[in-house]
Amino acid sequence: MLVGFSQGGILAGHLAANRSDRYNFDAIVVCGAPIDNMPIPDSTRVISVQHEGDPVPTLDFFTAPPQRDNWQTITDTAPGDPTDVSQIHNAAQYSITLEEHLQDLGDVHDLDRFFDTEDSYTQTEY
């Protein structure tokens, strides 16, 4: 699973759209990123969070989010000051929005394997 905010979300979307033939990207979760026009394959689950008034997600020329079975877009007003761009395009505010809308995502148990449990471990190789 790839996760990214803003430019990190653009990178996550780009990797899923252009490297899925080499890597197995099961899911991406992005906040405040213009990925709506990216050709992300149907085999990758996409969760995109966008705040109303955030200029960054509209950098893909104001296209509507895709209507696909693997793609869910959450659009809401930023929990901070909705007139302050530094609050609208803010990772902490996006985290709050995503948490408030977890119930809207339906069954997220297919994503459980990406999160730590008491029996999990992390292995990093360079």
Side-chain angles (χ1 to χ4, degrees):
M1 178 163 84
L2 301 169
V3 178
F5 163 70
S6 195
Q7 188 172 1
I10 294 170
L11 181 58
H14 174 79
L15 289 170
N18 298 296
R19 300 291 189 268
S20 289
D21 56 335
R22 291 188 62 189
Y23 301 99
N24 181 20
F25 299 121
D26 286 334
I28 68 169
V29 177
V30 302
C31 296
I35 65 164
D36 293 343
N37 282 325
M38 294 186 180
I40 299 169
D42 290 339
S43 59
T44 302
R45 181 163 184 195
V46 178
I47 298 170
S48 175
V49 184
Q50 301 177 6
H51 282 154
E52 295 168 357
D54 186 350
V56 177
T58 64
L59 292 175
D60 59 357
F61 305 109
F62 297 95
T63 59
Q67 300 297 315
R68 296 173 22 200
D69 290 340
N70 68 311
W71 198 298
Q72 290 178 272
T73 300
I74 296 168
T75 304
D76 201 354
T77 304
D81 181 352
T83 63
D84 181 355
V85 174
S86 70
Q87 289 293 303
I88 296 170
H89 188 73
N90 178 292
Q93 301 298 321
Y94 270 109
S95 177
I96 292 168
T97 300
L98 180 57
E99 191 168 328
E100 289 175 349
H101 287 273
L102 285 176
Q103 73 278 359
D104 300 337
L105 297 176
D107 184 12
V108 292
H109 294 292
D110 59 325
L111 303 179
D112 285 349
R113 68 186 177 280
F114 297 108
F115 298 99
D116 285 337
T117 65
E118 61 187 41
D119 297 326
S120 65
Y121 70 95
T122 301
Q123 179 178 335
T124 305
E125 296 180 27
Y126 296 97

